[in-house]
Structures are given as C-alpha cells and as structure tokens.
Amino acid sequence: MLSIHNLSATVADKPILKGLSLSINAGEIHAIMGPNGAGKSTLGYTLGGRPGYEVTGGSVTFNDEDLLALAPHERAAAGLFLGFQYPVEIPGVSFVQFLREAANAQRKSLGQPPLTGGEFLKLAREKAGLLKMDMDMLKRPVNVGFSGGEKKRAEMVQMGILDPKLAILDETDSGLDIDALRIVGEGINAIMRKPDRAVLLITHYQRLLDYVKPDFVHVLAGGRIIRTGGAELALELESQGYEAVTA
Ligand SMILES: Nc1ncnc2c1ncn2[C@@H]1O[C@H](COP(=O)(O)OP(=O)(O)O)[C@@H](O)[C@H]1O
Ligand SMILES: [Mg+2]
C-alpha cells in the first residue's frame, strides 16, 4: 500500500529525514517510536505534503501512485488521512459542518454525489457512536474548548467519516486519560483494522499499543528507521529506553 524508499526531507533547510525506508501492506498496523525530535512528525507532515517540508531525495508510492507528485488534497482523495499531534481550532465553523464539507469534498474528488443531510447525519451518528461522542458536542465550533481527549476523539470521528485507506496518526494518545485512550484505541480498531486498510501509529509511549496491537514496530532515530521488530519491541523500548536501542 505504502512504500517509502530512501526518503530525505528538510524542514527550514535543516535535514531531518535522512534516507528513511519503510513498507506498509494492506491489513497491517505499524508503529513508529522514537525519541523527541527524531523526525516522527516530520515524516507524517512530509507524507501529507505540508508546505515547508521539502523532499530532497527518495521516493514514496501509495497504491502504485507517486505520492510525492500529488497535492495535499489529492493525497487525501487518494485515501491518505493524517491525524495531527496538535489538532487546530476553527472558531465559527461547527464540527458537523466541517465534517460534512470534508466528506462531500472527498466524494466529489471520487466522482460521487454529495451526501444528503439525512445520509450524512446517519453516518456522523454511527461514527460518533464508535467514539462515544455526543452529537451535541459535534455541533460546537471545531475543537474550540475541547479537551485534549475530546479533540482526539473528534478527529477519529472525522477519520471514520472519511474512511481512508491509510491513516497516519501522530501522537494520537497524547493528552488522553485511561478511558479516552481505550475509546480511541477501540475506535481505531473498529475503523481501520480491516484487510484493505492500514495504519501508521506515531507514538513515543507504548500504552496506545495495548489497545491497537501493531504488527510491526519501528524505531526512528537520526532520520532513519534503525530497528524493526514486532509488538514486543515496544515493550522493550518502554522498559529499557531509547538509548539502549539507539546507542
Ligand atoms: N518549523 C521548523 N523549523 C525548524 N526546525 C523544525 C521545524 N519543525 C521541526 N523542526 C525540527 O525538526 C526536528 C524533528 O522534529 P519532529 O519531526 O517534530 O520530531 P518528533 O515528532 O520525532 O518529536 C526537531 O529537531 C525539530 O526541532
Ligand atoms: Mg512529533
């Protein structure tokens, strides 16, 4: 599904990714762990096509397409979803409006007709239910006054509605209490753990991985994947720290 080959990227002229390679097949859940500043978020933003993240080498194919040749909105239309470490607030726009616009923009790019109000509400209710999110909450302006946990749950509702092929989730567990962590973890499983979907979880704690069990765990340090293992690698990192692995 996703094949990253020797990817190098700079942020503000500073080399951050330095020849990173990684392959993700349909049906797989991968976790990337690594110390602060290792380049984890940079990888997510670079794959999402965020301005300011400049690719200086290597290639990325996504479902046999050259991902790097696509504009950010085309990447989303192709089925890529990026969950942000710090979700943005959009005063004046309600979450339901936002979700409906997002869903219909996505459908338009796929040549599908927009959802009717009723169809959209049914879909939104279903996905909000998966995340134990009250519909009243989604009538509020996007993320304004939401707690950290509510922002992440709302973001997972958005993911459910967009129904991406590949979700890259950056620190989706940050700021979550134990209950929210379980709800978000179960939501990710319900939406994304399917034979034709894949997930790349970026995290520096192993706790989300208790709920969303990764098939592969990678350690990112110095701009490259320096080690790959199974779910047990996350436990090893948790008990021994990154230094034992990156030294
Ligand atoms: N806009 C920016 N300008 C300059 N340096 C940046 C910028 N964004 C990120 N960096 C630097 O890039 C490096 C990698 O950051 P990041 O990808 O956020 O790491 P991680 O997510 O692994 O903690 C860090 O050294 C960070 O300071
Ligand atoms: Mg980060």
Side-chain angles (χ1 to χ4, degrees), residues 138-151:
L138 296 181
K139 289 178 186 152
R140 287 167 44 185
V142 177
N143 287 324
V144 176
F146 283 28
S147 72
E150 287 165 348
K151 285 181 184 172

Side-chain angles (χ1 to χ4, degrees), residues 188-238:
I188 294 171
N189 287 328
I191 295 164
M192 296 302 296
R193 194 171 265 296
K194 297 176 184 167
D196 56 346
R197 309 281 132 138
V199 180
L200 179 60
L201 286 174
I202 297 173
T203 178
H204 55 219
Y205 295 111
Q206 110 87 25
R207 47 185 211 162
L208 180 65
L209 307 181
D210 288 336
Y211 297 99
V212 186
K213 199 165 161 24
D215 302 297
F216 298 94
V217 172
H218 311 275
V219 180
L220 172 52
R224 285 190 195 90
I225 303 294
I226 58 158
R227 202 167 146 193
T228 293
E232 74 288 342
L233 178 55
L235 295 167
E236 188 187 324
L237 290 168
E238 186 97 332

Side-chain angles (χ1 to χ4, degrees), residues 11-12 14 16 35-42 53 85:
V11 185
K14 188 172 151 195
I16 305 293
N36 281 325
K40 303 183 299 296
S41 294
T42 298
Y53 291 75
Q85 186 168 1

Side-chain angles (χ1 to χ4, degrees), residues 94 104 156 175 241:
S94 77
N104 284 335
M156 295 301 103

Side-chain angles (χ1 to χ4, degrees), residues 3 31 35 38 44 57 62 82 84 103-104 119 141-142 149 152 157 165 167 179 209 224 236 238 245:
S3 177
F62 179 47
L82 215 56
F84 293 109
N104 284 335
E119 286 167 340
V142 177
K152 296 297 165 140
V157 173
K165 295 192 176 77
D179 291 335
L209 307 181
R224 285 190 195 90
E236 188 187 324
E238 186 97 332
V245 177

Side-chain angles (χ1 to χ4, degrees), residues 145-202:
F146 283 28
S147 72
E150 287 165 348
K151 285 181 184 172
K152 296 297 165 140
R153 279 159 59 199
E155 187 170 53
M156 295 301 103
V157 173
Q158 185 190 350
M159 180 172 82
I161 285 174
L162 293 178
D163 198 20
K165 295 192 176 77
L166 173 68
I168 299 174
L169 304 176
D170 191 2
E171 309 263 346
T172 287
D173 49 354
S174 72
L176 298 186
D177 64 24
I178 305 288
D179 291 335
L181 187 66
R182 179 177 50 76
I183 291 167
V184 164
E186 288 171 353
I188 294 171
N189 287 328
I191 295 164
M192 296 302 296
R193 194 171 265 296
K194 297 176 184 167
D196 56 346
R197 309 281 132 138
V199 180
L200 179 60
L201 286 174
I202 297 173

